[in-house]
Amino acid sequence: MAVATDASRFHAVPMAPPDPILGVSEAFRADTSDLKLNLGVGAYRTEDLQPYVLNVVKKAEKLMLEKGENKEYLPIEGLAAFNKATAELLLGADNPVIKEGRIATVQGLSGTGSLRLAAAFIQRYLPGVKVLISSPTWGNHKNILNDAGVPWSEYRYFDPKTVGLDFDGMLADMKDAPNGSIILLHGCAHNPTGIDPTTEQWDIIADVIQEKEHIAFFDVAYQGFASGSLDEDANSVRRFAARGMELFVAQSYSKNLGLYAERIGATNVITTSPELALRIKSQLKRLARPMYSNPPVHGARIVANVVGDPALFDEWRAEMQLMAGRIKQVRQKLYDELVAKDKSGKDWSFILKQIGMFSFTGLSQSQSENMTNKWHVYMTKDGRISLAGLSSAKCGYLADAIIDSYYNVQ
């Protein structure tokens, strides 16, 4: 009989570093200060800084319970009612893309899982094609592409001098990319900067993508949550689709319905014919089967019930406007406090020009570390703060922390 030893076959496995975003919350929880603020993770909080479950979600779940729906496996592509609803929310129910059947939609595991499935499709059917991502971008984009084996590079996006969009640099990098590249774009409320192109700039971006025969890949994580309007926040995608462009689109319902833990989203591919859409959908299903087999049902039913009931749908839109409105109020309050407290005359108006739950402060890594070490403000090291985790009452304290870090830390 073999004798067990202390040696392990896993001795070479290293300790992974903390996640740059989720690790912020771990550090926040360990801090015992009463002053601490968690502005790291992008999750909506009430003015009392408490998690918020939408009333419309509670009503949809009550209806589901009353119906006594079962927990049987969904098909690989997910719940049919959800797939129909999510495509129509993205493009509009009367969009020719939908009416002509030129879209392949597969339910995904929120935004991350939907991006990952699209990346697997790119790796298999567009091998070697490089994806261009904005600099900076959401930290998980690089992880997703790396793990899928998809090559990537960056295009300029953030201009530190203006704390705004480097539009000329963005266009130049897209023009310099090899023809047929894939351009990953944030549909609205760019993460982490909160800086979006204007409608006119979106049209110019589309011009360049068409001229270079690139494919646009939209990450739509905040539809309805950024401006408070589902239609306004889908404007970029709809403008591209109206040109007949082929697109990848990943969707998430974590923010706009608060379904963070339900992992509900979708992978969409818009193409040129219904026959191609069917073939693409069949291959997305083929990729999903060994990856996670089929998606969860609970969140999909919530979305389908909310969108499918006119009264619930109207209530959802009102709650989205409420959430978006609170973040806008906090953004304005923070700006007002910075202007009142900073006597140098520095222009802080970039905060008001940004949109969505995040603000890119322009603080360096060392300045961001001072925010945490001295002021107990937890944020990502790239200077991003989540306004969704800020209350009006805390804006003055945050303004003091930003001013101190900006002027007193190299």
Side-chain angles (χ1 to χ4, degrees):
M1 183 176 70
V3 178
T5 67
D6 291 335
S8 171
R9 296 286 294 277
F10 307 116
H11 72 277
V13 177
M15 178 65 73
D19 183 272
I21 298 176
L22 300 182
V24 172
S25 291
E26 294 174 9
F28 171 81
R29 285 191 289 269
D31 191 334
T32 58
S33 172
D34 292 336
L35 298 173
K36 66 181 182 179
L37 271 176
N38 186 0
L39 306 183
V41 178
Y44 181 80
R45 296 290 182 265
T46 64
E47 181 64 21
D48 296 325
L49 302 184
Q50 296 301 309
Y52 179 58
V53 179
L54 274 68
N55 291 324
V56 74
V57 168
K58 296 176 183 177
K59 291 180 180 180
E61 288 182 316
K62 183 180 179 182
L63 287 173
M64 290 158 57
L65 190 63
E66 290 171 353
K67 290 179 182 177
E69 293 175 308
N70 61 49
K71 300 294 184 182
E72 291 292 304
Y73 289 124
L74 285 178
I76 300 171
E77 67 267 33
L79 186 70
F82 166 79
N83 289 341
K84 180 177 184 294
T86 197
E88 291 179 352
L89 281 175
L90 178 66
L91 297 173
D94 295 328
N95 195 292
V97 171
I98 293 176
K99 289 189 171 298
E100 295 165 13
R102 293 190 286 110
I103 184 169
T105 300
V106 171
Q107 183 184 331
L109 306 182
S110 199
T112 299
S114 300
L115 289 161
R116 183 63 176 81
L117 183 60
F121 181 91
I122 291 168
Q123 192 276 334
R124 182 167 295 184
Y125 295 104
L126 299 171
V129 175
K130 184 177 287 187
V131 176
L132 274 69
I133 59 178
S134 63
S135 177
T137 192
W138 179 48
N140 220 16
H141 281 152
K142 296 176 182 178
N143 298 331
I144 290 165
L145 295 171
N146 284 338
D147 279 8
V150 175
W152 57 269
S153 62
E154 295 179 311
Y155 60 85
R156 283 168 283 177
Y157 194 86
F158 176 70
D159 184 348
K161 294 179 181 178
T162 63
V163 198
L165 178 64
D166 183 358
F167 188 58
D168 291 339
M170 178 185 189
L171 294 181
D173 291 343
M174 290 180 181
K175 290 176 181 178
D176 288 343
N179 282 19
S181 298
I182 296 171
I183 312 297
L184 182 56
L185 301 164
H186 300 226
C188 64
H190 181 275
N191 180 3
T193 69
I195 302 163
D196 285 352
T198 64
T199 297
E200 293 75 18
Q201 288 172 330
W202 276 122
D203 288 340
I204 296 170
I205 292 167
D207 288 339
V208 172
I209 289 176
Q210 285 188 298
E211 290 165 8
K212 293 288 295 184
E213 299 179 339
H214 296 329
I215 299 176
F217 183 172
F218 281 96
D219 183 356
V220 180
Y222 306 102
Q223 186 182 353
F225 191 82
S227 69
S229 166
L230 288 163
D231 293 326
E232 184 175 336
D233 290 346
N235 177 60
S236 57
V237 177
R238 293 180 186 182
R239 296 183 82 84
F240 279 52
R243 292 175 174 234
M245 299 169 70
E246 292 188 298
L247 309 172
F248 291 98
V249 187
Q251 293 171 275
S252 168
Y253 289 89
S254 291
K255 308 300 191 297
N256 57 12
L257 262 172
L259 299 177
Y260 306 98
E262 301 298 349
R263 312 314 295 150
I264 177 65
T267 302
N268 302 273
V269 183
I270 296 172
T271 187
T272 56
S273 73
E275 192 269 337
L276 261 177
L278 288 173
R279 281 158 47 191
I280 291 168
K281 185 172 183 177
S282 74
Q283 294 299 341
L284 288 171
K285 290 165 61 177
R286 188 179 182 187
L287 288 164
R289 176 62 169 147
M291 194 182 293
Y292 55 84
S293 196
N294 41 34
V297 70
H298 191 78
R301 282 181 175 153
I302 292 173
V303 176
N305 285 340
V306 169
V307 176
D309 184 306
L312 291 180
F313 185 62
D314 287 344
E315 186 172 344
W316 177 36
R317 289 193 295 185
E319 284 195 87
M320 273 190 291
Q321 290 170 358
L322 178 72
M323 292 188 292
R326 194 189 85 76
I327 293 174
K328 290 175 184 177
Q329 290 171 0
V330 168
R331 187 182 291 279
Q332 181 68 52
K333 176 70 171 175
L334 176 60
Y335 168 78
D336 292 342
E337 293 283 358
L338 286 166
V339 171
K341 293 172 179 288
D342 182 6
K343 305 304 181 183
S344 72
K346 175 178 169 56
D347 184 6
W348 294 98
S349 64
F350 64 85
I351 289 176
L352 298 180
K353 295 173 185 176
Q354 298 167 356
I355 189 173
M357 62 163 43
F358 299 115
S359 178
F360 211 54
T361 61
L363 297 178
S364 67
Q365 179 172 336
S366 59
Q367 290 167 337
S368 299
E369 288 171 350
N370 183 69
M371 295 279 288
T372 300
N373 298 335
K374 180 178 178 179
W375 293 88
H376 306 277
V377 176
Y378 289 82
M379 55 191 287
T380 53
K381 302 305 180 186
D382 57 5
R384 185 195 83 171
I385 57 174
S386 173
L387 297 178
L390 179 65
S391 66
S392 296
K394 294 285 188 177
C395 284
Y397 178 77
L398 179 60
D400 288 334
I402 291 173
I403 291 170
D404 172 65
S405 302
Y406 181 77
Y407 288 110
N408 298 326
V409 178
Q410 294 295 320

